[in-house]
Structures are given as C-alpha cells and as structure tokens.
Amino acid sequence: MTHEFDLLVIGAGSGGVRCARIAAGHGARVAVVESRHWGGTCVNLGCVPKKLMVQASEYGDLVDDSHAFGWSSTRGTHDWATLIAAKDKEITRLNGIYVSMLEKAGITLLTGHARFVDAHTVRVEASPLAPDEAPRTVTAKNIVIATGSTPLRPDIPGAELAITSDEAFHLPTRPQRVVIVGGGYIGLEFAGIFAGLGSQVDLVYRQALPLRGFDEDMRAAMAEAITVRGITQHPRCSSTRVTKNGETYTVTLNNGHTLEADCVFFATGRKPKIEKLGLDKTSIAVGEVGQIKVDANSQTTEPGVYAIGDVTDRINLTPVAIAEGHNLADRLFGKAPPREWSFDTTPKAVFFSPPLASVGLSETEAAHHGVVDIYFTRFTPMRHTLSGRKERKTVMKLVVQQSSQKVVGAHILGDDAPEMLQGVAVAVTAGLTKQDFDRTIGIHPTSAEELVTMRTRTRETPAAS
C-alpha cells in the first residue's frame, strides 16, 4: 500500500518535533499534527515559562542582598501583568521558531486534533489551535504518538474550584494567599515563585518530606530550604475538600485543619494525554494510568506505531523525549546505527530557590547494589557570608560504589546547582571514579570546587538486605 507520508507525528512538542526533523533530514516524507501549542507543554505550559517566572521571583532577594555589598538599591513592587506579558511574548517567539524549523525541514504541518481511523490512517479535525480548519484524512507508513501529558486533579469535592499548572501561567493577578497541594517538582517550583513574588504560601503534601523519589538527604535539605523561603509546610497531609465563600477558598485537610486562600493550586501529578486519539481503532495497549505501553525501541503493540515522551510515563522529562524522538528517527530512516543514550543517568533539576539537581542513584538505591561510600558537605556559599542569608545553605553529596569506587550518584542543592550538575552528569555517565574526582583540580573560589575536594568519607552505608 502506498502511504501519503513515511512518518506522521502526532504532537508538536519537543520530542515530536525532534523526531520529525531528524526523519526529514534522512529524506523521509514527514507530517506533524498539533492541536493546541506548537512547541508542546515544555515551551508553552511547562519548563520554559516556569523557569522565567522562577527567575522573576529571585530579583527581590537580589536587591535586598545587594545592600551588604554596598548598593543603595531599594526593592520596589512587582507588576505581575508585566511579567505575564513578557513571558507570553517570549513564548510566542518560540512558537514561531518551532513552526519555522519544521517548515524549513520540509515537513507538512497539520493543525487539528488527530484521531486514528485505523493503524495507518488518521483523521485530523478542528481543534482549539484552528477551530475553523477543514477536516482531513491522512495515511502514513509509520506513526509516532507524542502527545505528552496533562494535569491531574484529585477526586475530591470542589476540585474544580482549584487551578492547575496550565492555568497558573495565565492568572490575571497574583494571588496574595495560595494553597498548593503537591510536593513534587511542580508544587515546589510554583511555591517558590509565588513566595518570591510576595504571596503567602501553604504547601500541602502527603509524605514526611517533599520530592518523593529523590535522595533522602536532599529531600531533608529541601524541606529546610522551603521553610527558609518563608513557605508554610503541611507534611503528611492531603486535601479532602475545597469550598468557596465569596472570593475566599477554604481547603480542608485530612487532619481536620482548614486553610484559607485566594487561590488553590493542585500539583498532584499528570496523566498521559490519550483522550480522543481513537486508540480503540488500533491494537495499542494502554497501562493502568493511561500510559501507552512501548518496548525499549518505543514500539507500541501495534506494528508501525510508536510512542515517545510523557505519553509513555517513563522518564517524564523534556530532554528524554527529545532523545527518544531522535533515536527513533535514526532507527527508522537513518543509514548509520543510532547513537546510544544513557537514560539511566538522566540528570534532573528542581528549579526552586535555591535549586536542587541530581544524577544517578540515591544512597538507598545504590545500597541495593552493594556497600556504598558517602561523601557529604554542607556550607554557606560565599555570596551569603556577606548577604546575611547564612541559613541558605548549599548541600552536596556523592554516592560512591565501594567495590569499584565509581561515583554512581551526585546530588546538589544550592545556587547554580543545575549548571554545576550537567558537567557532573557527564562524569557519572562515563563511569568515573572517586579518585578521578580527587585528582581533578578545582576552580577557586567556587561552590563547585567542593565536588573535587570532598576527600574524607562521611559514612559507609551497608548493602541493603
């Protein structure tokens, strides 16, 4: 059968766009379907605008800190509308870049919502991005689902009264009092944004410490940093009800306490975005949380149909989706074997103030592979010896496999942690040893030099039984 395209990508987020561009570069006939945002969640409702807002939230503290360095600057008032307008202008610019990149690569752009008719046929219908677009049916030999994920709301009374991260980027005004439910990346990052801009923030999360899945020492350090930021934490709590009286929202917690706010924000997870894709017209298998099941090569249970990124609910990070998309395009259309990506050492960062960055194994995870040597340091960075924020600590931790002396995990909380960690991620991916770190000369004076001067083992962790 002759198909209209060699590859049809459903979803123009970072992973889908990379897959389409690499495939087109190999000479494939490619089309991309997008229903909402060119650039996907990361560019429009995720990492990019959120990072800009985190940066905005830090300028007030920088003004205050400047006084200790001799500046007579005065902290002014923040104009939320100006920030949102500037953010929107930048996102619009990036949208245009994504469209331009696809067009220059010779890719056909289809605007609308994609729905499977069968395993190789897709119906593209009107969507919010182009409500007047005429429907079109296309066929493709290979189809990639890269539709990402969407925020979850808890199943409690009044959940519809709260916002999610999707709405947070477009609030007309900054709420003075915010209750954020959720102790993961999104909850912490927005808690820091609102607190830094002057809001009173209550952070509610189920576990004893925030950031489930991170190293325990770093979770504890982050909990301390959250308090230093002026945020009130409610650990071991969950919301059971949200009500509204006039302009005031009330959140009832499972311990019976109530919190009042001008805005309630649910950061309680995300789910794969598969609604209305018509997967029932294919043999694609879906997991318990709606994730599309794939093998190591991103192949679904339907031959010729693939899935990458958050819709598979594996490592839900933009660079991972990009790597998966690149790898898949090379494998389908490239002449040389695709490059190997080290997904096991995928670095990650939480853009709080201060941020946390991590690569490799936590102490607990590493102990499942044998005895572990731990190197740990905690100190006041140079800037804050003058600024007076001596409670704003930097924390660093190296996790070393004792038998091989390989550094299998590195974790940093502190100013510029993500910038430092990217280079360390290369070292961990390369399998460098603690001795390789020790023989590397540091850059002085920096916080980063601590990574190569932690020569005294803090403790030995026995292998997990």
Side-chain angles (χ1 to χ4, degrees), residues 35 111-113 125-135:
S35 65
T111 303
H113 180 82
E125 300 169 330
S127 73
L129 188 56
D132 299 324
E133 193 82 6

Side-chain angles (χ1 to χ4, degrees), residues 151-154 156-165 179-182 186 239 241-242 251 264-269:
L152 271 173
R153 294 175 186 268
I156 62 171
E160 72 282 356
L161 298 173
I163 67 168
T164 67
S165 55
V179 172
I180 297 179
V181 181
I186 297 172
S239 56
R241 178 184 297 273
V242 180
V251 180
V264 180
F265 185 142
F266 283 137
T268 47

Side-chain angles (χ1 to χ4, degrees), residues 273-316:
K273 192 174 181 180
I274 62 171
E275 292 83 0
K276 301 179 182 178
L277 277 177
L279 298 184
D280 58 312
K281 300 296 184 180
T282 72
S283 62
I284 295 172
V286 175
E288 292 182 2
V289 297
Q291 77 275 24
I292 293 178
K293 293 184 177 182
V294 293
D295 65 14
N297 292 323
S298 299
Q299 170 71 63
T300 71
T301 49
E302 176 69 70
V305 181
Y306 305 84
I308 59 173
D310 290 10
V311 76
T312 66
D313 195 35
R314 293 183 292 181
I315 304 175
N316 296 336

Side-chain angles (χ1 to χ4, degrees), residues 211-227:
L211 294 178
R212 178 171 59 89
F214 280 76
D215 183 89
E216 289 299 305
D217 280 335
M218 308 312 290
R219 296 178 72 191
M222 178 58 84
E224 182 179 327
I226 293 169
T227 297

Side-chain angles (χ1 to χ4, degrees), residues 55-386:
Q55 292 170 332
S57 73
E58 295 174 333
Y59 279 100
D61 285 347
L62 290 172
V63 171
D64 292 343
D65 292 350
S66 72
H67 302 161
F69 293 83
W71 289 93
S72 59
S73 50
T74 303
R75 183 195 277 241
T77 57
H78 182 262
D79 188 325
W80 175 268
T82 296
L83 169 62
I84 298 303
K87 179 266 297 180
D88 288 345
K89 182 178 179 180
E90 173 61 8
I91 300 311
T92 299
R93 184 185 74 85
L94 293 174
N95 290 156
I97 289 174
Y98 270 79
V99 171
S100 176
M101 286 193 303
L102 291 167
E103 290 177 337
K104 287 179 180 178
I107 295 166
T108 299
L109 276 59
L110 304 174
T111 303
H113 180 82
R115 175 175 54 83
F116 280 93
V117 176
D118 60 42
H120 295 280
T121 307
V122 167
R123 179 77 167 169
V124 181
E125 300 169 330
S127 73
L129 188 56
D132 299 324
E133 193 82 6
R136 176 177 175 179
T137 300
V138 297
T139 63
K141 182 178 179 181
N142 300 283
I143 297 177
V144 176
I145 303 171
T147 49
S149 62
T150 190
L152 271 173
R153 294 175 186 268
D155 185 17
I156 62 171
E160 72 282 356
L161 298 173
I163 67 168
T164 67
S165 55
D166 279 5
E167 295 80 39
F169 292 108
H170 300 289
L171 289 173
T173 58
R174 175 180 58 81
Q176 288 296 323
R177 301 172 298 168
V178 187
V179 172
I180 297 179
V181 181
Y185 289 80
I186 297 172
L188 265 63
E189 289 171 339
F190 272 102
I193 289 168
F194 285 118
L197 295 177
S199 298
Q200 172 191 311
V201 180
D202 286 275
L203 182 64
V204 179
Y205 51 88
R206 292 177 180 271
Q207 302 218 345
L209 293 169
L211 294 178
R212 178 171 59 89
F214 280 76
D215 183 89
E216 289 299 305
D217 280 335
M218 308 312 290
R219 296 178 72 191
M222 178 58 84
E224 182 179 327
I226 293 169
T227 297
V228 168
R229 193 70 170 142
I231 296 164
T232 302
Q233 299 179 78
H234 303 270
R236 297 189 177 92
C237 288
S238 59
S239 56
T240 60
R241 178 184 297 273
V242 180
T243 58
K244 184 180 181 184
N245 183 12
E247 297 303 313
T248 299
Y249 298 86
T250 301
V251 180
T252 302
L253 305 182
N254 60 340
N255 60 8
H257 294 168
T258 58
L259 303 171
E260 291 191 344
D262 307 307
C263 175
V264 180
F265 185 142
F266 283 137
T268 47
R270 298 178 68 86
K271 63 178 180 179
K273 192 174 181 180
I274 62 171
E275 292 83 0
K276 301 179 182 178
L277 277 177
L279 298 184
D280 58 312
K281 300 296 184 180
T282 72
S283 62
I284 295 172
V286 175
E288 292 182 2
V289 297
Q291 77 275 24
I292 293 178
K293 293 184 177 182
V294 293
D295 65 14
N297 292 323
S298 299
Q299 170 71 63
T300 71
T301 49
E302 176 69 70
V305 181
Y306 305 84
I308 59 173
D310 290 10
V311 76
T312 66
D313 195 35
R314 293 183 292 181
I315 304 175
N316 296 336
L317 296 171
T318 294
V320 172
I322 291 172
E324 290 174 347
H326 193 134
N327 184 282
L328 177 59
D330 280 346
R331 203 166 53 250
L332 290 176
F333 304 106
K335 296 178 180 178
R339 75 174 73 177
E340 294 293 328
W341 301 83
S342 179
F343 292 109
D344 289 340
T345 55
T346 298
K348 53 192 176 183
V350 181
F351 292 100
F352 190 72
S353 297
L356 185 155
S358 173
V359 65
L361 302 178
S362 68
E363 180 176 347
T364 301
E365 290 168 338
H368 286 289
H369 302 280
V371 181
V372 177
D373 292 337
I374 298 298
Y375 295 82
F376 184 89
T377 184
R378 172 187 170 93
F379 58 92
T380 301
M382 180 181 286
R383 178 187 298 276
H384 297 308
T385 60
L386 260 65

